[in-house]
Amino acid sequence: MGAHNAFITEASIEGASEGALDGRTVAVKDNISTEGVATTCGSDMLADYVPPYDATVVSRLKDAGATIVGKANMDEFGMGTTTETSAFGATTNPADDERVPGGSSGGSAAAVAAGEADLALGSDTGGSVRCPAAFCGVVGIKPTYGLVSRYGLVAYANSLEQIGPLANSVEDAAALLDVIAGPDEHDATTHDAGADSDYAGAANGDVDGLTIGVPTELVEGADEDVKATFEDALDAYRDAGAEVESVSLPSVEYGVAAYYVIAMSEASSNLARFDGVRYGESGGFEGNWNESFAETRAENLGDEVKRRILLGTYALSAGYHDKYYKQAQEARAWVRQDFEEAFESVDVLASPTMPVLPPKLGESVEDPLQMYLMDANTVPVNLANLPAISVPAGDVDGLPVGLQLVGPKFGEERIIDAAALLG
Amino acid sequence: MSDSAVDADEVRHVADLARVDLDEEEVERFADQFAGILEHFEALEEVPDVAAEPELVNVMRPDDVEESLDQEEALENAPETEDGFFKGPKVS
């Protein structure tokens, strides 16, 4: 299964005989449906699930001539920051086998970093493409909400998640985004933007005259080594003619809490479909439907998934809805407004993608709150439905550090162009 | 209603609502972890009211019959079926 446990299922799905991705190999995260090939979401619940149809992004990969080489390992249902919650075992980081690759698209990032695929698709609900891209030293893009169809993506938190590309270079990631972007009649949240895109052509590293805003709140909490690497990258931007200035986004201090309340609430509803009757492992027919349902979920869902379903149910329950869910939506509106105001004076926003270096395996899963706090720099982007890219900024003793660039809505070309200076 | 502490009974109640069986060890562990996580979520009470109107647009299409999965494909992943239907446990 490869040295890093990057794939749950290895495959060889040939695409059309020619196209933009002719001759390129792609790893597809295992929550993206592939007709006739198991799509497990990293869960025992769906260990035997074989979708009868392709996700729209998979149809587009095939039409573009790509060869799908496997279904990439992931945190169970996308819930995690380390790819350790997979029911099929943890993926390891190609940069250092004792460390995590980041999550939840850790298999996708590791496959690209280890050369087991040229390109990969992940999904990003709170940073799940950018985090493993940063930890594995590759490029990852979280597109604007609505740019890429979610048809065939097994839902975790619909209002936040987008499918996004991972690759070894900004240009390659942009080329994959060109293939998957654009409207889809099967997903009513998709948008006309991206229909005739040329993101790959925008990857020039042309930053002369660009104004880069650095939100102080997203740098303060980072480790010193990460901060130093980030500052060096900013110097490269200054040398190339960009202007760097500090900005303040006071709302992002509430980003982690707002993100987890909203994501867990949506998850508690989305994962109700896994009842062992329509699909999922059956709990058997002892007792009534509720008892059988509760049993199959107890047996086939992992700890992190149970934790989020329970907390989401709690946040939506009578007496707590206003305190948690309603306030989280207020925070989301505030975050969106803060970003909009920032983009009135700067072209892009820059921060470290992750405030820490990749942790060792087993270090973070025991303390869920600490793991959630690692997502502080990525989740505000999902709350505001904006595009962002993580590009390698350098390393600390061989451990990769990612730089995140955030753009205004449908500003993919701008962040791709700017990111190309580094990779 | 207490402000932060989640006791074991509350965890059992939520697990029951969510249809997830928990053993005693899980109840204790989740009660412990939820206290810290919910305390962090309580910071949301400081968030000011933001008068932002979301841009909502109705996206409609004609309600036409289109190609879809056939019955056999739709049932492919069901653990138990009978006469072309999903077979489940009794309802109550």
Side-chain angles (χ1 to χ4, degrees):
Chain A
M1 270 300 167
H4 305 285
N5 197 25
F7 293 104
I8 292 173
T9 305
E10 286 185 288
S12 184
I13 309 170
E14 299 285 340
S17 56
E18 53 190 85
L21 298 180
D22 189 17
R24 311 305 296 276
T25 56
V26 186
V28 174
K29 189 175 182 179
D30 211 27
N31 57 353
I32 299 173
S33 302
T34 40
E35 184 180 352
V37 179
T39 297
T40 70
C41 290
S43 181
D44 281 332
M45 183 65 95
L46 292 179
D48 299 319
Y49 176 65
V50 179
Y53 68 103
D54 276 330
T56 297
V57 292
V58 170
S59 307
R60 290 183 181 176
L61 284 182
K62 289 180 174 176
D63 291 347
T67 299
I68 296 169
V69 290
K71 302 300 293 294
N73 203 356
M74 57 181 283
D75 279 304
E76 186 175 7
F77 288 106
M79 301 180 187
T81 308
T82 61
T83 311
E84 289 170 288
T85 73
S86 169
F88 301 91
T91 297
T92 58
N93 191 327
D96 179 345
D97 260 335
E98 288 179 12
R99 294 181 187 266
V100 304
S104 64
S105 312
S108 300
V112 170
E116 293 183 21
D118 298 324
L119 307 162
L121 289 182
S123 65
D124 190 312
T125 309
S128 288
V129 164
R130 289 161 286 157
C131 165
F135 281 177
C136 292
V138 300
V139 176
I141 302 174
K142 183 264 167 197
T144 307
Y145 188 77
L147 189 78
V148 176
S149 170
R150 285 176 294 109
Y151 178 72
L153 172 69
V154 180
Y156 153 29
N158 317 51
S159 80
L160 298 157
E161 60 205 2
Q162 276 285 285
I163 293 171
L166 295 112
N168 278 308
S169 71
V170 173
E171 191 178 356
D172 278 358
L176 179 51
L177 184 59
D178 280 322
V179 167
I180 59 173
D184 175 22
E185 60 176 13
H186 293 302
D187 178 353
T189 63
T190 54
H191 196 273
D192 287 336
D196 301 302
S197 63
D198 182 16
Y199 299 127
N204 302 310
D206 181 8
V207 300
D208 193 19
L210 190 81
T211 310
I212 301 173
V214 178
T216 48
E217 294 85 355
L218 301 186
V219 181
E220 279 166 357
D223 289 356
E224 289 307 320
D225 286 348
V226 170
K227 249 190 256 186
T229 310
F230 172 68
E231 291 297 338
D232 287 347
L234 287 182
D235 284 339
Y237 278 96
R238 288 187 188 96
D239 291 347
E243 201 172 305
V244 178
E245 59 182 67
S246 288
V247 298
S248 180
L249 299 174
S251 66
V252 301
E253 306 277 4
Y254 302 89
V256 168
Y259 164 73
Y260 278 99
V261 168
I262 293 169
M264 288 170 176
S265 297
E266 293 185 19
S268 73
S269 164
N270 274 323
L271 270 63
R273 74 193 60 182
F274 302 113
D275 57 4
V277 173
R278 291 165 296 165
Y279 32 58
E281 289 296 312
S282 173
F285 293 155
E286 296 298 316
N288 65 31
W289 192 304
N290 287 339
E291 287 161 358
S292 163
F293 192 175
E295 190 185 312
T296 190
R297 289 154 67 81
E299 276 178 26
N300 295 295
L301 296 176
D303 239 29
E304 186 58 36
V305 175
K306 287 180 192 170
R307 190 150 42 233
R308 294 196 194 189
I309 289 175
L310 262 49
L311 282 165
T313 303
Y314 184 81
L316 292 175
S317 66
Y320 296 103
H321 176 277
D322 284 6
K323 182 182 164 97
Y324 297 111
Y325 187 74
K326 185 171 159 287
Q327 282 305 106
Q329 294 294 2
E330 290 285 346
R332 184 174 191 171
W334 187 23
V335 169
R336 190 173 301 157
Q337 199 180 63
D338 253 5
F339 274 110
E340 275 169 19
E341 282 171 17
F343 286 122
E344 285 170 15
S345 56
V346 301
D347 298 313
V348 298
L349 292 163
S351 73
T353 308
M354 299 303 288
V356 295
L357 295 168
K360 291 197 166 160
L361 289 151
E363 250 177 19
S364 46
V365 281
E366 292 306 311
D367 187 343
L369 181 58
Q370 283 312 310
M371 185 173 80
Y372 300 163
L373 292 172
M374 275 167 57
D375 296 341
N377 288 5
T378 53
V379 296
V381 168
N382 300 74
L383 289 169
N385 295 346
L386 299 174
I389 187 167
S390 179
V391 60
D395 62 82
V396 176
D397 302 331
L399 299 175
V401 172
L403 173 124
Q404 171 177 251
L405 292 171
V406 184
K409 208 164 267 194
F410 299 111
E412 272 77 3
E413 287 189 11
R414 195 185 296 179
I415 55 170
I416 285 166
D417 191 2
L421 183 76
L422 298 181
Chain B
M1 206 180 295
S2 77
D3 256 7
S4 66
V6 192
D7 62 26
D9 279 346
E10 227 165 339
V11 172
R12 278 189 207 97
H13 175 63
V14 175
D16 192 43
L17 292 175
R19 311 274 187 266
V20 178
D21 276 346
L22 298 181
D23 59 35
E24 275 316 293
E25 187 270 329
E26 284 175 309
V27 169
E28 292 304 325
R29 187 157 39 91
F30 283 153
D32 241 26
Q33 292 171 343
F34 288 3
I37 295 168
L38 291 169
E39 195 184 338
H40 179 76
F41 289 174
E42 270 162 34
L44 290 169
E45 286 176 27
E46 300 158 17
V47 170
D49 284 344
V50 178
E53 287 295 317
E55 302 163 36
L56 295 178
V57 186
N58 279 324
V59 180
M60 311 288 271
R61 64 162 178 78
D63 190 14
D64 294 332
V65 177
E66 292 179 4
E67 224 179 287
S68 68
L69 299 179
D70 62 31
Q71 192 178 30
E72 203 179 310
E73 288 171 323
L75 291 170
E76 242 167 43
N77 283 284
E80 300 251 10
T81 64
E82 195 173 307
D83 302 333
F85 296 100
F86 293 107
K87 186 178 175 187
K90 58 184 185 283
V91 173
S92 61

